[in-house]
Amino acid sequence: MPKTDTILSTKSLHYFLQLIDTMNYTQAAQILGITQPALTQQIKKIEHAIGTPLFGQMGKKLYLTEAGKQLQTGAIKLLGTINSVVNDIQEFTQADKGNISIGVLDSVSSELLRKFLIRFNQQSPDITINVCYFNRKDLWYNLDNNLIDFGLFYVPANIKKSQVNLHNQYEYMQICEDRLTVLTHDHELEAGKAYSFSKFMDKKWVAYPDNFYLTQLMKEKFGSKINAKNGMKVPLSFSSTEQLVETAEETSYDTFVSSSYYQLHKSEINLTPVYIEGTPEYSVSIIYRKGKIDVPRIKSILTELKKFLDE
């Protein structure tokens, strides 16, 4: 008996399934671009390999035998698996196809990223991009577990001290330098100027939740405790920057955002933007696991992003 691994090839199974679609040797052969005798011979080889007929005939009409039905089910699964594997390989090796998953820190202003993704989509329409927003803990979890391809983070200027293992496990690309910006109701303060921390001691704040990076920067100034007697007074907090600013404008409370967010939305904001002296510097950066750059589509999007930022 001929070996099934030489007879049951992807080509022969494709011929078999095409004959099932038409139940007509002549039509199937025409669709496949081969002669009818060649198709007949291929089907007979399969039947000989498995030892039983796949098709029966009633008058001029073909029908599938029970063995044929079983082989049909197996052939569909097998070819589906092969096609899936090939697609996965092509997605890994091709720069213009596949999926890219991006995680964004929920307090980061991602308008620049959004504008870039529109352009990138026009250049590479066969790449599907999914953007999700996370708090810092969940963003790191998704990055660590390879659930996203890269993340958009706030990165402290002293990155080597604050992220000890970053250079061992990850690469990063700076998007822009950023700065904590206070939005105040105090019109005696001049926009764009930096003031001593003492100017802000007695103010009440609308703030991000306690675990957000910008809130942690403020806590470094006020001390670790929020709403303590001598700490930072935060009657209201929101994870949404838009809600943060709107609430500050509708109350007497001050707030703080990233400079990049303010620059993008300053025409909509009526509060005065100022800075606190000595606030640590940071940047908005793309962070990705080492090795991700070897995936062509990841290399392609990061290369195009750098061009976009240079422009």
Side-chain angles (χ1 to χ4, degrees):
M1 180 182 294
K3 292 182 178 181
T4 56
D5 60 354
T6 59
I7 299 301
L8 298 180
S9 63
T10 55
K11 182 177 77 172
S12 65
L13 292 177
H14 179 58
Y15 287 179
F16 168 65
L17 293 176
Q18 185 60 62
L19 181 57
I20 292 175
D21 284 345
T22 61
M23 283 299 183
N24 184 291
Y25 275 94
T26 301
Q27 291 179 14
Q30 289 175 345
I31 293 171
L32 292 167
I34 60 175
T35 64
Q36 181 179 331
L39 176 59
T40 302
Q41 184 182 29
Q42 191 68 56
I43 298 300
K44 286 182 177 179
K45 283 183 178 180
I46 299 174
E47 291 177 332
H48 185 55
I50 63 178
T52 187
L54 300 173
F55 295 90
Q57 193 163 348
M58 294 182 64
K60 293 184 178 181
K61 292 186 177 180
L62 292 177
Y63 67 90
L64 270 179
T65 64
E66 286 303 313
K69 292 176 182 178
Q70 290 186 37
L71 183 61
Q72 179 188 26
T73 300
I76 291 172
K77 288 182 179 178
L78 179 60
L79 292 177
T81 299
I82 292 172
N83 288 335
S84 178
V85 170
V86 170
N87 287 337
D88 288 345
I89 293 172
Q90 288 178 338
E91 285 191 2
F92 187 86
T93 58
Q94 294 182 5
D96 59 348
K97 292 182 180 179
N99 299 299
I100 296 175
S101 182
I102 303 171
V104 179
L105 192 65
D106 42 19
S107 59
V108 170
S109 176
S110 56
E111 183 66 12
L112 196 65
L113 176 66
R114 187 186 69 82
K115 290 181 180 298
F116 162 72
L117 291 178
I118 291 173
R119 188 170 94 168
F120 184 77
N121 173 252
Q122 293 170 345
Q123 295 172 341
S124 303
D126 293 328
I127 293 179
T128 301
I129 299 174
N130 180 48
V131 180
C132 294
Y133 292 82
F134 303 96
N135 61 43
R136 196 173 188 87
K137 180 181 177 181
D138 290 342
L139 185 52
W140 271 115
Y141 175 85
N142 278 269
L143 193 63
D144 283 337
N145 289 277
N146 207 31
L147 299 175
I148 55 176
D149 292 305
F150 56 84
L152 194 65
F153 286 84
Y154 287 134
V155 176
N158 57 340
I159 186 172
K160 291 182 180 180
K161 295 179 181 179
S162 62
Q163 299 289 349
V164 176
N165 65 346
L166 184 59
H167 288 282
N168 295 327
Q169 299 182 37
Y170 299 94
E171 302 282 358
Y172 75 100
M173 181 177 77
Q174 182 174 304
I175 302 299
C176 64
E177 294 182 350
D178 217 331
R179 188 176 184 182
L180 187 146
T181 300
V182 170
L183 301 178
T184 181
H185 290 274
D186 189 345
H187 297 299
E188 292 183 2
L189 302 184
E190 186 178 347
K193 296 292 185 179
Y195 293 91
S196 167
F197 168 68
S198 60
K199 287 280 188 182
F200 308 94
M201 284 288 293
D202 297 327
K203 294 185 179 299
K204 292 184 178 181
W205 302 88
V206 185
Y208 293 108
D210 194 25
N211 61 340
F212 276 49
Y213 181 70
L214 296 187
T215 299
Q216 291 172 4
L217 291 183
M218 290 292 284
K219 283 168 60 180
E220 290 178 10
K221 288 297 188 183
F222 281 89
S224 60
K225 295 181 180 180
I226 288 183
N227 291 327
K229 183 177 180 181
N230 296 318
M232 187 178 178
K233 306 297 189 299
V234 183
L236 293 168
S237 63
F238 296 90
S239 59
S240 164
T241 306
E242 184 179 358
Q243 291 181 355
L244 202 74
V245 174
E246 288 178 353
T247 302
E249 290 188 326
E250 294 174 16
T251 64
S252 60
Y253 306 145
D254 287 356
T255 190
F256 49 89
V257 297
S258 67
S259 179
S260 57
Y261 181 87
Y262 176 75
Q263 292 302 322
L264 286 169
H265 299 276
K266 61 183 179 181
S267 62
E268 309 158 15
I269 296 174
N270 297 315
L271 300 173
T272 303
V274 296
Y275 306 108
I276 300 177
E277 291 177 349
T279 305
E281 296 179 355
Y282 63 93
S283 68
V284 178
S285 295
I286 292 286
I287 298 179
Y288 53 93
R289 295 178 67 90
K290 286 188 175 180
K292 275 290 182 181
I293 199 71
D294 296 330
V295 180
R297 65 181 180 277
I298 302 300
K299 183 177 182 180
S300 175
I301 193 172
L302 292 178
T303 300
E304 292 302 317
L305 178 56
K306 189 175 186 307
K307 290 180 183 177
F308 178 80
L309 295 172
D310 288 343
E311 292 173 6

